[in-house]
Amino acid sequence: MRQRSPSGRADPAFFLPGRSSMNSLPMRLSLTGATLLALAPMAHAVQPLPDAEARTLDEVVVTAEREPGNFAIDRNEIELTQAADLGDLLSNESGVAVGGGSTVAQKVYVRGFEDTLLNVTIDGAQQPAELYHHQTRVQVEPEFIRSIELDAGAGAATAGAGALTGTMRVNTRNAFDMLSPGRDAGMLVKGAAGFNGQDHHKAVVAAFARVGPNLGLMATHVRHDGGDYDDGNGQRVSPTAFDHERSQVKLNGQFNAHSFDLSAERLDDTGTYYERPHMTNFNGRFQLSDHRMRRETLSYNHRYNPASAAIDVRATAYRNDSRYQNRRNNTGLVYSRGQQVSTGFDLRNTTRLDAFDLVYGIDYRRDELRATQQATPPPFWGSTQQTARVFGAYVQGDWRPSASWLLSAGVRWDDYRHEVDAGVGKGASNAQSRPSPNLAIEWRPTDHLSLRAAYAQAFRGVTIREAFFSALYTHHGDLEGERADNVELGLAYERDGWYLRATGFRQHIDNYIAAVYTGNAEWGHWGNIGQAEVDGYELEAGKDWQQFGVGLGVWNSDNRFDDRPLNDADLGLGTGIGRTWTARVDWRSASGRSRYGLRARRVEDEANSIAPGAPDKPGYAVVDAMANWQLLADGQLVLGVALNNLFDRHYYDHATYGYNAGAGAYVGFPASGRELVTSISYRF
């Protein structure tokens, strides 16, 4: 049975005191937009951009050069897979696993490490907030994503502060992406449904227009409502029902050497789950709780790129407000709640000479947390107020001494400050600064083959940790910042549609910070507990013809902590994932109006070190089939169909918390069984 909150009304306590409510977001957007729109007369003084140029404005977010083993998911892939969440988007990519079963419990693992060690940005806005277990940080709505890019492992200085295991950038669409050729305004209406268990339904509406010769404005809204799903054995998995809403307003434009985009996004998730949303009630003591989560992101990106080799300025400013609240379903009492507000900017310039490119800049972020938990025995109930900030300066250069060689080197320097202002651990502070260098050499012995070797360090000082645990575990002011080093060897070969990409890597993370339970006068404290490491490889090969493509990949990560394998109990750090094989087949018609695809994933057995005698994590194989058809010209009417888990396999993703030693059973959620997903969209 689908679980719902006893009351459909908004809980005033969800809006924490001392913070502006969500109603202030349109006001902030309108004030900023009014300033920009005041410049609209300038747009009429410049030549209007042709449609082709207006639809392909330069990306504002600077990205590192694509390396073997990394990936970029474009809009075509998102639409073909009928993606409803990150699991649908990322599970078939090299080096990535997504676990949880239910949408709210999903966690992303890159090379076996959790996304908490990964820099995540949405339209350039950093998403550092860890609120409650699996919730909020990586919950995104795929419907209006333009692309997702992953650079795995510590890397370039431009990746941002604290990118211990890499960076994942999510970029959303704008009005020029949506407009049909020759049109100045349009709308998109879409309906989608997934048929499994109690099913799920999605409604999408978007309006977009060219409001000046070079200005575009888009407003979107998505409502996604899902019930409990069935696993591969046909058993109902409860509670997994959810209610998801996402709204965005985006203004973008280009005036001669200037281009910009301004985005305001709000995402809401509500549902009724057990206290730990990624686990069943295996011990009989977990109570159902009403969970509410909201993320509000305001970002502004600007690029100034005149006809000068010395100047290409890119600036990003953002404010990210994430909050959550869990209340006992039977009593309405607060279990936990928290709010983290992050504001920051990134300002950089690129200078291009004949054989040398140099990127240099500064970035800054300030985080503020307020959190309360009443989940423990009353003597340990607590709250906290914390602030943290990081200031960074960086430089990254690429030198091409000849057509066959590329030398890339850079360094960033980051200064971290963290303070506990009130509540648990009040008065504690941590401060540390450290450089993070990197060096990479690429050799191209032929036009088709490149070989690469790279070394990089990354430093993350003391930051605000998960809001729930921050109101429980104290700071003593004695923490060392976390330091990562990463060594990679890679090759890439491409010729006549054939490709082969391979990467081998070894990474260490020193001084890993985690919550340490003591159970004395304090429940526990934050401490440096040891060193994590990973050794692994990624390999992809395939062939692309004009209308047909095939690919095969394999990746494996051997993750350890202080010389023992990682397991599901290493929450916040990572887990063991079996060697993973991926395969894909794509075919499109000669007209380009229909596309078909197959995605397959085979995960081998993995030894489970969670307890002596624990059973291995069993292997599994999953196949997804998908297709879409343009029923009218120019993609005005599109029908999509996907059949996920085609053979109805019952399995636990290795990235899901599976076996619990105390219970002697699997306590995480199994993956969804066979699901038919259909959608139809009309753009006019």
Side-chain angles (χ1 to χ4, degrees):
M1 179 177 180
R2 189 178 304 188
Q3 301 287 347
R4 285 290 180 259
S5 170
S7 170
R9 297 187 300 273
D11 186 346
F14 183 63
F15 305 101
L16 299 179
R19 296 283 184 254
S20 59
S21 75
M22 294 301 167
N23 293 330
S24 65
L25 176 57
M27 181 177 295
R28 293 198 301 273
L29 174 61
S30 62
L31 289 173
T32 311
T35 303
L36 293 170
L37 289 173
L39 303 175
M42 296 173 55
H44 297 281
V46 297
Q47 187 69 23
L49 295 175
D51 285 336
E53 292 182 21
R55 289 168 58 83
T56 57
L57 294 177
D58 287 336
E59 284 287 344
V60 176
V61 179
V62 178
T63 62
E65 183 175 347
R66 191 64 43 201
E67 301 168 4
N70 299 331
F71 63 78
I73 302 174
D74 63 13
R75 187 65 208 168
N76 289 331
E77 179 71 8
I78 295 170
E79 292 180 349
L80 180 62
T81 57
Q82 304 291 303
D85 52 39
L86 277 181
D88 295 336
L89 285 173
L90 301 179
S91 292
N92 291 305
E93 298 296 334
S94 178
V96 180
V98 182
S102 64
T103 300
V104 72
Q106 286 187 346
K107 298 174 81 171
V108 178
Y109 291 80
V110 176
R111 296 177 175 175
F113 286 131
E114 261 193 52
D115 60 77
T116 53
L117 307 176
L118 186 74
N119 267 8
V120 178
T121 64
I122 299 176
D123 285 333
Q126 290 196 23
Q127 307 291 318
E130 304 168 40
L131 296 186
Y132 182 70
H133 294 342
H134 299 236
Q135 292 171 293
T136 74
R137 189 165 181 268
V138 292
Q139 286 182 261
V140 297
E141 167 55 55
E143 200 60 49
F144 290 97
I145 291 176
R146 177 195 293 169
S147 65
I148 297 181
E149 302 165 355
L150 175 74
D151 291 334
T158 52
L164 297 178
T165 59
T167 181
M168 183 171 72
R169 294 174 291 269
V170 180
N171 302 309
T172 63
R173 306 171 82 183
N174 61 39
F176 294 137
D177 296 324
M178 303 295 294
L179 284 169
S180 299
R183 301 197 57 140
D184 291 328
M187 289 191 68
L188 171 72
V189 178
K190 179 177 180 178
F195 300 98
N196 171 286
Q198 293 181 323
D199 304 333
H200 64 87
H201 307 87
K202 179 187 286 189
V204 180
V205 63
F208 35 88
R210 192 191 309 272
V211 296
N214 305 313
L215 275 174
L217 180 65
M218 180 175 71
T220 67
H221 184 74
V222 178
R223 176 70 182 270
H224 192 189
D225 186 5
D228 294 337
Y229 65 84
D230 289 349
D231 63 21
N233 289 335
Q235 300 297 313
R236 188 64 43 87
V237 182
S238 179
T240 56
F242 63 91
D243 193 344
H244 171 100
E245 285 191 80
R246 186 259 192 189
S247 301
Q248 185 185 30
V249 178
K250 195 167 190 179
L251 177 71
N252 68 288
Q254 181 166 341
F255 309 110
N256 294 327
H258 293 270
S259 61
F260 75 90
D261 69 62
L262 172 66
S263 172
E265 180 190 23
R266 189 178 78 181
L267 184 146
D268 287 278
D269 264 314
T270 60
T272 299
Y273 313 104
Y274 290 118
E275 296 161 0
R276 300 182 183 181
H278 57 297
M279 292 184 181
T280 62
N281 190 20
F282 67 93
N283 61 7
R285 294 185 290 106
F286 291 165
Q287 296 185 30
L288 289 174
S289 299
D290 296 325
H291 294 237
R292 294 176 57 84
M293 186 281 292
R294 177 170 288 175
R295 174 176 60 78
E296 177 189 49
T297 299
L298 181 68
S299 65
Y300 178 74
N301 292 281
H302 195 105
R303 181 177 184 183
Y304 175 58
N305 185 22
S308 169
I311 300 175
D312 184 356
V313 178
R314 301 174 188 245
T316 298
Y318 60 88
R319 183 179 190 272
N320 198 68
D321 186 340
S322 299
R323 61 185 70 188
Y324 85 103
Q325 179 177 266
N326 301 335
R327 286 183 176 271
R328 306 277 192 182
N329 184 261
N330 57 347
T331 64
L333 296 177
V334 171
Y335 182 81
S336 63
R337 65 186 178 195
Q339 179 186 33
Q340 181 166 321
V341 177
S342 300
T343 55
F345 69 86
D346 185 314
L347 177 63
R348 64 182 65 181
N349 182 56
T350 301
T351 298
R352 297 180 177 88
L353 304 176
D354 290 340
F356 188 70
D357 293 344
L358 189 67
V359 183
Y360 47 94
I362 58 173
D363 52 32
Y364 174 83
R365 192 185 78 236
R366 176 182 173 85
D367 303 326
E368 301 175 62
L369 172 70
R370 292 187 177 189
T372 297
Q373 65 79 24
Q374 297 178 166
T376 54
F380 296 101
W381 287 1
S383 62
T384 189
Q385 294 183 33
Q386 299 182 21
T387 57
R389 63 93 167 162
V390 54
F391 172 81
Y394 56 88
V395 58
Q396 186 76 32
D398 289 340
W399 179 44
R400 299 172 182 82
S402 70
S404 300
W405 291 92
L406 171 63
L407 175 65
S408 180
V411 64
R412 64 174 298 123
W413 176 84
D414 293 301
D415 179 69
Y416 284 83
R417 296 288 187 271
H418 171 264
E419 295 182 353
V420 181
D421 303 311
V424 176
K426 178 182 178 181
S429 63
N430 297 275
Q432 195 172 4
S433 302
R434 189 178 178 88
S436 302
N438 68 83
L439 175 66
I441 300 175
E442 182 178 317
W443 176 43
R444 298 183 65 87
T446 73
D447 291 339
H448 311 289
L449 175 66
S450 64
L451 305 174
R452 184 176 183 276
Y455 173 78
Q457 294 182 3
F459 170 66
R460 183 172 72 173
V462 180
T463 59
I464 295 174
R465 315 299 286 197
E466 181 179 319
F468 173 78
F469 287 125
S470 291
L472 179 60
Y473 289 86
T474 63
H475 277 278
H476 292 168
D478 58 353
L479 293 176
E480 291 288 325
E482 296 158 309
R483 294 175 293 159
D485 62 67
N486 184 43
V487 177
E488 293 190 10
L489 299 175
L491 67 86
Y493 177 84
E494 294 188 27
R495 185 172 186 176
D496 299 328
W498 292 96
Y499 63 88
L500 171 67
R501 306 184 188 99
T503 301
F505 52 87
R506 168 173 290 180
Q507 179 163 354
H508 298 86
I509 301 174
D510 295 322
N511 302 328
Y512 177 67
I513 298 173
V516 179
Y517 172 75
T518 58
N520 300 318
E522 62 178 16
W523 184 271
H525 62 270
W526 297 99
N528 297 110
I529 64 171
Q531 181 192 75
E533 59 184 282
V534 60
D535 296 279
Y537 59 86
E538 299 166 338
L539 175 68
E540 296 177 326
K543 175 74 163 83
D544 289 324
W545 290 269
Q546 187 172 5
Q547 296 172 228
F548 188 72
V550 295
L552 179 67
V554 59
W555 67 272
N556 189 58
S557 297
D558 181 13
N559 299 74
R560 306 182 67 81
F561 181 76
D562 282 351
D563 295 326
R564 65 161 178 81
L566 289 186
N567 58 64
D568 293 349
D570 291 311
L571 302 176
L573 178 56
T575 192
I577 297 171
R579 180 163 49 214
T580 301
W581 299 81
T582 60
R584 61 178 59 215
V585 178
D586 289 282
W587 179 79
R588 60 181 178 275
S589 64
S591 67
R593 294 178 58 174
S594 59
R595 297 183 63 215
Y596 307 88
L598 283 173
R599 304 288 182 266
R601 185 171 79 260
R602 165 75 172 121
V603 181
E604 299 181 8
D605 293 354
E606 176 74 5
N608 194 347
S609 66
I610 196 168
D616 290 350
K617 291 184 175 183
Y620 53 89
V622 185
V623 178
D624 303 328
M626 57 212 69
N628 63 28
W629 299 269
Q630 295 184 22
L631 304 182
L632 295 177
D634 299 324
Q636 284 185 291
L637 183 64
V638 178
L639 173 66
V641 176
L643 196 57
N644 298 324
N645 195 354
L646 179 63
F647 299 109
D648 206 18
R649 300 301 189 195
H650 179 276
Y651 69 97
Y652 290 85
D653 194 292
H654 285 187
T656 297
Y657 193 110
Y659 182 83
N660 180 271
Y666 287 89
V667 301
F669 289 119
S672 175
R674 183 188 297 118
E675 179 185 46
L676 173 66
V677 181
T678 62
S679 69
I680 187 164
S681 63
Y682 182 60
R683 186 176 62 174
F684 55 93

